[in-house]
Amino acid sequence: MTQASATTKATRRQHDREIVALAVPAFGALVAEPLFVLADSAIVGHLGTAQLAGLGIASALLTTAVSVFVFLAYATTAAVARRVGAGDLQAAIRQGIDGIWLALLLGAAVIAVVLPTAPSIVELFGASDTAGPYATTYLRISALGIPAMLVVLASTGVLRGLQDTRTPLYVAVAGFVANAVLNVGLVYGADLGIAGSAWGTVIAQCGMAAAYLVVVVRGASRHGASLRPDAAGIRASAQAGVPLLVRTLSLRAILMIATAVAARLGDADIAAHQIILSLWSLLAFALDAIAIAGQAIIGRYLGAGDTNGARQACRRMVEWGIAVGVALGVLVVLSRPLFLPLFTGDSMVKDAALPALVIVALSQPICGVVFVLDGVLMGAGDGPYLAWAMVITLAVFAPIALLVPTLGGGLTALWAAMTLMMVIRMLTLWLRTRSGNWLVTGATR
């Protein structure tokens, strides 16, 4: 073995250790997030098809209301990791605290918008007369937990940037268990129906936010970082998040268009779509575990001025993304007969979901590349490019998806359009990473 070959293998092993150390706990934490929706779907699905269809619309709307602010986690991870790489832990934690204050402000604003407009929003997305009231009830109650959800996002970003993905895992697992227990107790024990499911989620999210705040406050005290709100810091956090907000709004628009199209196909199709979307989100978050490692590792390398290390880490993470995507695709195909009965006994819903799940399975290797490269560019702070790339993807996807009901393609055609969307994302992200323009070093970008 030549010295160059030995060095390459040693570097790969080092990157593998770093990726595994960060990605495995992140996987558990990320999987817990869609499991909240999966647990709600499994519990509410046995109340009836109309309730499950209502949950499908409301949860998509609620996820959008929260996920548009995912930059609170992603931008914070990158910014904190850069400062860690530069050796300034006090500034790293202070950066995260500014993000938490911003989360509280944004959460209050979202509540003020969602509560009075919930019925109109549900109607806009084509809910049927039977599903609409359930969707409105779930959306209004769950909106009360949005500030806590945003605090969880920002606090998670702080810890990821500090190269700690274990604490978010512990908090997420505790939150999932609490959510499941509360949902069963309130939906069936207290006989609150879909409202009980919403209240259980709100309570669980508030508990998670409290746990994160305890950890962050302790870290701030240890490193001498101020906890008081700083207007300039909050404003800087908001400005840094604007490109990622545009990127996330475009992505959420894609998912909401898909949900609106499915709703117009009928109750059985929207119910099947909700089940598939929950699974797709679970798979996406699992792949995103590698991307989370990428955000933390790439940010740290660039903060330390090591562009070669960042480039090598990117290459290795892409290899991981492809391999995990293939494994997940095979798992989806094999588990289809066992998966669907957990959520519905309606044969029409099952018939709509089965072929669409094959499309989801085939797309997983593509998704692996997309999520990894997305995380790499986020870790580099390359938000403006991510924003433009997603806007282009939305512009291509929207007209194709909206034609599905007209052409009679059904749910399978809709998910084929979703796969095309991922192919476009993969191409735009690959072109950027290949160019090297994202390799900007320093404690700040």
Side-chain angles (χ1 to χ4, degrees), residues 391-401 420 424:
V391 169
I392 292 170
T393 303
L394 170 61
V396 176
F397 170 80
I400 295 173
L420 175 62
I424 297 168

PDB file of all heavy atoms in Angstrom, residues 391-401 420 424:
ATOM      1  N   VAL A 391     -36.326  27.884  -5.493  1.00  0.00           N
ATOM      2  CA  VAL A 391     -37.331  28.640  -6.255  1.00  0.00           C
ATOM      3  C   VAL A 391     -37.461  28.079  -7.670  1.00  0.00           C
ATOM      4  O   VAL A 391     -38.573  27.923  -8.197  1.00  0.00           O
ATOM      5  CB  VAL A 391     -36.961  30.136  -6.292  1.00  0.00           C
ATOM      6  CG1 VAL A 391     -37.837  30.886  -7.304  1.00  0.00           C
ATOM      7  CG2 VAL A 391     -37.122  30.761  -4.906  1.00  0.00           C
ATOM      8  N   ILE A 392     -36.332  27.768  -8.290  1.00  0.00           N
ATOM      9  CA  ILE A 392     -36.347  27.167  -9.628  1.00  0.00           C
ATOM     10  C   ILE A 392     -37.066  25.820  -9.604  1.00  0.00           C
ATOM     11  O   ILE A 392     -37.878  25.496 -10.485  1.00  0.00           O
ATOM     12  CB  ILE A 392     -34.913  27.007 -10.160  1.00  0.00           C
ATOM     13  CG1 ILE A 392     -34.293  28.383 -10.433  1.00  0.00           C
ATOM     14  CG2 ILE A 392     -34.887  26.158 -11.431  1.00  0.00           C
ATOM     15  CD1 ILE A 392     -32.815  28.342 -10.736  1.00  0.00           C
ATOM     16  N   THR A 393     -36.778  25.015  -8.583  1.00  0.00           N
ATOM     17  CA  THR A 393     -37.419  23.702  -8.454  1.00  0.00           C
ATOM     18  C   THR A 393     -38.932  23.839  -8.321  1.00  0.00           C
ATOM     19  O   THR A 393     -39.699  23.098  -8.948  1.00  0.00           O
ATOM     20  CB  THR A 393     -36.851  22.958  -7.234  1.00  0.00           C
ATOM     21  OG1 THR A 393     -35.433  22.836  -7.366  1.00  0.00           O
ATOM     22  CG2 THR A 393     -37.461  21.576  -7.106  1.00  0.00           C
ATOM     23  N   LEU A 394     -39.378  24.785  -7.508  1.00  0.00           N
ATOM     24  CA  LEU A 394     -40.811  25.038  -7.334  1.00  0.00           C
ATOM     25  C   LEU A 394     -41.458  25.432  -8.659  1.00  0.00           C
ATOM     26  O   LEU A 394     -42.556  24.958  -8.993  1.00  0.00           O
ATOM     27  CB  LEU A 394     -41.019  26.141  -6.299  1.00  0.00           C
ATOM     28  CG  LEU A 394     -42.442  26.697  -6.159  1.00  0.00           C
ATOM     29  CD1 LEU A 394     -43.414  25.603  -5.744  1.00  0.00           C
ATOM     30  CD2 LEU A 394     -42.458  27.853  -5.153  1.00  0.00           C
ATOM     31  N   ALA A 395     -40.778  26.287  -9.415  1.00  0.00           N
ATOM     32  CA  ALA A 395     -41.330  26.764 -10.692  1.00  0.00           C
ATOM     33  C   ALA A 395     -41.533  25.621 -11.681  1.00  0.00           C
ATOM     34  O   ALA A 395     -42.465  25.653 -12.490  1.00  0.00           O
ATOM     35  CB  ALA A 395     -40.408  27.823 -11.286  1.00  0.00           C
ATOM     36  N   VAL A 396     -40.692  24.606 -11.617  1.00  0.00           N
ATOM     37  CA  VAL A 396     -40.837  23.452 -12.507  1.00  0.00           C
ATOM     38  C   VAL A 396     -41.909  22.495 -11.986  1.00  0.00           C
ATOM     39  O   VAL A 396     -42.738  21.975 -12.753  1.00  0.00           O
ATOM     40  CB  VAL A 396     -39.494  22.712 -12.667  1.00  0.00           C
ATOM     41  CG1 VAL A 396     -39.673  21.460 -13.513  1.00  0.00           C
ATOM     42  CG2 VAL A 396     -38.451  23.637 -13.300  1.00  0.00           C
ATOM     43  N   PHE A 397     -41.922  22.268 -10.671  1.00  0.00           N
ATOM     44  CA  PHE A 397     -42.812  21.268 -10.087  1.00  0.00           C
ATOM     45  C   PHE A 397     -44.282  21.679 -10.130  1.00  0.00           C
ATOM     46  O   PHE A 397     -45.163  20.864 -10.441  1.00  0.00           O
ATOM     47  CB  PHE A 397     -42.407  20.997  -8.633  1.00  0.00           C
ATOM     48  CG  PHE A 397     -43.398  20.166  -7.857  1.00  0.00           C
ATOM     49  CD1 PHE A 397     -43.425  18.794  -8.000  1.00  0.00           C
ATOM     50  CD2 PHE A 397     -44.316  20.769  -6.993  1.00  0.00           C
ATOM     51  CE1 PHE A 397     -44.344  18.020  -7.291  1.00  0.00           C
ATOM     52  CE2 PHE A 397     -45.231  20.005  -6.288  1.00  0.00           C
ATOM     53  CZ  PHE A 397     -45.242  18.627  -6.432  1.00  0.00           C
ATOM     54  N   ALA A 398     -44.573  22.942  -9.800  1.00  0.00           N
ATOM     55  CA  ALA A 398     -45.958  23.370  -9.600  1.00  0.00           C
ATOM     56  C   ALA A 398     -46.867  23.073 -10.797  1.00  0.00           C
ATOM     57  O   ALA A 398     -47.937  22.447 -10.623  1.00  0.00           O
ATOM     58  CB  ALA A 398     -45.998  24.855  -9.246  1.00  0.00           C
ATOM     59  N   PRO A 399     -46.525  23.489 -12.009  1.00  0.00           N
ATOM     60  CA  PRO A 399     -47.448  23.218 -13.128  1.00  0.00           C
ATOM     61  C   PRO A 399     -47.638  21.727 -13.418  1.00  0.00           C
ATOM     62  O   PRO A 399     -48.724  21.301 -13.820  1.00  0.00           O
ATOM     63  CB  PRO A 399     -46.799  23.936 -14.316  1.00  0.00           C
ATOM     64  CG  PRO A 399     -45.367  24.114 -13.946  1.00  0.00           C
ATOM     65  CD  PRO A 399     -45.352  24.264 -12.464  1.00  0.00           C
ATOM     66  N   ILE A 400     -46.583  20.942 -13.201  1.00  0.00           N
ATOM     67  CA  ILE A 400     -46.687  19.500 -13.442  1.00  0.00           C
ATOM     68  C   ILE A 400     -47.643  18.867 -12.444  1.00  0.00           C
ATOM     69  O   ILE A 400     -48.532  18.085 -12.811  1.00  0.00           O
ATOM     70  CB  ILE A 400     -45.298  18.841 -13.359  1.00  0.00           C
ATOM     71  CG1 ILE A 400     -44.405  19.351 -14.493  1.00  0.00           C
ATOM     72  CG2 ILE A 400     -45.416  17.316 -13.423  1.00  0.00           C
ATOM     73  CD1 ILE A 400     -42.971  18.879 -14.400  1.00  0.00           C
ATOM     74  N   ALA A 401     -47.504  19.213 -11.161  1.00  0.00           N
ATOM     75  CA  ALA A 401     -48.366  18.635 -10.129  1.00  0.00           C
ATOM     76  C   ALA A 401     -49.817  19.055 -10.312  1.00  0.00           C
ATOM     77  O   ALA A 401     -50.738  18.244 -10.143  1.00  0.00           O
ATOM     78  CB  ALA A 401     -47.865  19.047  -8.747  1.00  0.00           C
ATOM     79  N   LEU A 420     -39.546  13.700  -9.543  1.00  0.00           N
ATOM     80  CA  LEU A 420     -38.935  14.629 -10.496  1.00  0.00           C
ATOM     81  C   LEU A 420     -38.407  15.871  -9.777  1.00  0.00           C
ATOM     82  O   LEU A 420     -37.326  16.373 -10.100  1.00  0.00           O
ATOM     83  CB  LEU A 420     -39.962  15.032 -11.559  1.00  0.00           C
ATOM     84  CG  LEU A 420     -39.500  16.108 -12.560  1.00  0.00           C
ATOM     85  CD1 LEU A 420     -38.307  15.609 -13.374  1.00  0.00           C
ATOM     86  CD2 LEU A 420     -40.655  16.510 -13.471  1.00  0.00           C
ATOM     87  N   ILE A 424     -34.444  17.369  -9.797  1.00  0.00           N
ATOM     88  CA  ILE A 424     -34.047  18.752 -10.086  1.00  0.00           C
ATOM     89  C   ILE A 424     -33.204  19.314  -8.945  1.00  0.00           C
ATOM     90  O   ILE A 424     -32.174  19.971  -9.166  1.00  0.00           O
ATOM     91  CB  ILE A 424     -35.291  19.627 -10.320  1.00  0.00           C
ATOM     92  CG1 ILE A 424     -36.045  19.148 -11.547  1.00  0.00           C
ATOM     93  CG2 ILE A 424     -34.899  21.100 -10.487  1.00  0.00           C
ATOM     94  CD1 ILE A 424     -37.421  19.754 -11.689  1.00  0.00           C
TER      95      ILE A 424
END
